[in-house]
Amino acid sequence: GAVVSQHPSWVICKSGTSVKIECRSLDFQATTMFWYRQFPKQSLMLMATSNEGSKATYEQGVEKDKFLINHASLTLSTLTVTSAHPEDSSFYICSANGDGRLAEQYFGPGTRLTVT
Amino acid sequence: SQKIEQNSEALNIQEGKTATLTCNYTNYSPAYLQWYRQDPGRGPVFLLLIRENEKEKRKERLKVTFDTTLKQSLFHITASQPADSATYLCALPDTGRRALTFGSGTRLQVQP
């Protein structure tokens, strides 16, 4: 149980375009999902907390107008990178924990974004 | 501010030996601490959670200790195997919320 999927697993886009990444909890309902970004040889950095039915909470320094998060259902959160630039190239990972799993987070496989 | 430190240098050990990884933290009083495994190009996988009132926790070949006085956790893999080669991340909950802060991770390489 506790499987989280992400789609796509990798994407290449041109500078100035927007990219949407989906995060789904497959076998449980996730009231809270988290979006992380990881640059090469660095650890995961929390970008935002996505709450079902309400606005996301962004970490300091993360532009909410650039990284749009929508958590429209208990099993789906989306991250849209708007007007992407090469410096947005990174590994984006989502995680989820439901009401019954207050502490453990289950991570998706990640999405590799390359902006050319 | 909260800070988590893991040895950034890779740990190389021989197959069959015990690997010991360290996680130190400052300016924290966490209710629990977690360890994750991350393979290249993949998301982290949850391994173990240890609560502040637990000194030690085991799961198969894994053992975690948690010393809240020293503000340190040790992660042990006994009878290590080449398949254990990965980066191991220590994580603590942010104060007052479910989000996690991760250490930089320690890369373990088990030589056959």
Side-chain angles (χ1 to χ4, degrees), chain B residues 27-80:
Chain B
N27 300 324
Y28 261 113
S29 293
Y32 56 86
L33 181 148
Q34 303 184 31
W35 284 89
Y36 289 79
R37 168 183 173 142
Q38 186 175 26
D39 291 285
R42 305 291 296 173
V45 174
F46 172 78
L47 295 176
L48 280 167
L49 179 152
I50 185 166
R51 300 188 186 279
E52 61 179 339
N53 61 348
E54 297 175 313
K55 294 294 184 186
E56 181 180 298
K57 199 151 191 182
R58 293 175 184 261
K59 179 183 176 183
E60 297 173 353
R61 295 184 295 110
L62 308 181
K63 184 178 85 170
V64 171
T65 63
F66 193 12
D67 189 326
T68 56
T69 301
L70 290 178
K71 296 188 182 294
Q72 180 182 80
S73 175
L74 298 179
F75 177 81
H76 307 271
I77 305 176
T78 58
S80 60

Side-chain angles (χ1 to χ4, degrees), chain A residues 38 43 59 103 105 107-109, chain B residues 34 36 38 44 49 97-98 103:
Chain A
Q38 186 175 34
S43 191
E59 296 301 295
Q105 288 189 23
F107 285 82
Chain B
Q34 303 184 31
Y36 289 79
Q38 186 175 26
L49 179 152
R97 58 179 189 160
R98 298 183 188 181

Side-chain angles (χ1 to χ4, degrees), chain A residues 19-23 31-37 45-59 62-73 76-82 92-95:
Chain A
V19 173
K20 180 186 283 188
I21 302 170
E22 293 186 349
C23 177
T31 55
T32 303
M33 290 183 171
F34 303 93
W35 286 96
Y36 294 85
R37 181 166 53 181
M45 296 299 295
L46 180 67
M47 298 175 66
T49 302
S50 172
N51 302 296
E52 187 269 334
S54 64
K55 289 184 179 180
T57 305
Y58 291 81
E59 296 301 295
V62 178
E63 300 174 57
K64 63 180 181 181
D65 294 331
K66 181 172 183 61
F67 298 99
L68 301 178
I69 291 173
N70 184 278
H71 195 154
S73 76
L76 174 64
S77 175
T78 60
L79 167 68
T80 301
V81 183
T82 63
Y92 292 86
I93 313 173
C94 70
S95 70

Side-chain angles (χ1 to χ4, degrees), chain A residues 1-5 24-28 96 101 106-109:
Chain A
V3 177
V4 175
S5 70
R24 293 180 186 274
S25 56
L26 298 185
D27 52 357
F28 66 104
R101 299 178 176 88
Y106 295 91
F107 285 82

